[in-house]
Amino acid sequence: MKRVKPGTGRELKPFRWWQPFSRSLYSVVLGRDDGRQAVYVVDVPHRRRFFANDGKGTADLYLGGRHQAESKLPAAFPISGGVIEVAESPFGLKRCHYVTAGGQEYPLIPEHTSAEGRRAHLARTHPALSRAISVTSVILLVISVLLLIPQLIEVAFTLPPVAPSFGTFVSPISLPAWLNSVIGIGAGLASIERALRLRHNRFLDTIG
């Protein structure tokens, strides 16, 4: 919460058709004590991380369409009744949740025209296809990790501190460069697909 800076009051820009993978937009509607509704929107322009010295992006919080606060990621925006938590992964967002004072967690709703929103629409309208895609993503990441680990061990055994003490290790898996590239691309697409659903596994989605 120490990262949170006051907002400027500027108006929220509409989501454009060319921004499906360069911007994430999530919202939540909460009730107020006076009976009215408060609409909070989290805006994450992913391009900012590429221009940041520390490689970390930022998130903006809007209330009623006006800029309320800004924070580096991971972010925790205090709001009435709880906090909105936002965290990024190398492939998008891994967390965008409203956490109540009592500890209940609720994922925010993605903008329907965004990549996240279209993925959520697919899950609602074609649940069987959505599950198949989800399972395929996990399988691709598992295969990538299983193939990568022996290669990483082989490289580690070539390092000067390791080789004299333990000898060498030859990976039993030797794939052509083109196949390694295909598997790497598949794993990257799988991680992007999971980020669209705010799914993240520290092992699979980082190593894979």
Side-chain angles (χ1 to χ4, degrees):
M1 292 185 183
K2 294 180 180 179
R3 301 190 185 100
V4 178
K5 298 179 181 179
T8 62
R10 66 177 182 270
E11 189 175 356
L12 174 66
K13 294 182 179 180
F15 194 91
R16 302 301 185 182
W17 64 268
W18 63 81
Q19 298 176 322
F21 294 103
S22 64
R23 182 185 182 193
S24 292
L25 202 64
Y26 285 84
S27 64
V28 61
V29 180
L30 302 176
R32 287 179 165 176
D33 294 336
D34 58 7
R36 294 186 298 172
Q37 291 183 328
V39 181
Y40 290 94
V41 177
V42 172
D43 187 4
V44 182
H46 295 293
R47 67 182 182 277
R48 289 182 183 174
R49 75 166 76 178
F50 299 107
F51 298 100
N53 295 329
D54 56 5
K56 294 183 178 180
T58 62
D60 296 293
L61 180 68
Y62 291 81
L63 172 59
R66 294 292 177 179
H67 192 234
Q68 184 81 2
E70 178 184 343
S71 174
K72 281 190 174 184
L73 295 173
F77 294 108
I79 63 173
S80 178
V83 62
I84 293 178
E85 298 180 352
V86 188
E88 63 184 347
S89 75
F91 302 94
L93 293 184
K94 61 182 179 181
R95 183 170 179 80
C96 192
H97 287 64
Y98 167 59
V99 184
T100 69
Q104 292 88 2
E105 298 186 4
Y106 303 94
L108 272 67
I109 306 300
E111 159 65 31
H112 71 281
T113 58
S114 67
E116 295 90 343
R118 296 184 187 279
R119 182 63 182 87
H121 178 74
L122 176 66
R124 291 191 301 269
T125 56
H126 299 87
L129 176 60
S130 176
R131 285 193 295 270
I133 294 174
S134 301
V135 171
T136 301
S137 296
V138 173
I139 292 174
L140 286 173
L141 289 174
V142 170
I143 291 175
S144 176
V145 169
L146 292 178
L147 294 177
L148 181 62
I149 288 178
Q151 297 180 60
L152 291 177
I153 295 176
E154 181 177 348
V155 172
F157 270 74
T158 63
L159 299 176
V162 179
S165 302
F166 301 97
T168 59
F169 172 82
V170 178
S171 171
I173 301 174
S174 180
L175 301 177
W178 69 268
L179 185 53
N180 269 327
S181 298
V182 170
I183 293 174
I185 293 172
L189 293 175
S191 292
I192 291 174
E193 189 279 327
R194 285 169 54 78
L196 296 179
R197 297 181 290 116
L198 297 179
R199 300 291 192 273
H200 183 81
N201 179 276
R202 186 176 299 179
F203 185 71
L204 287 180
D205 294 286
T206 302
I207 296 180

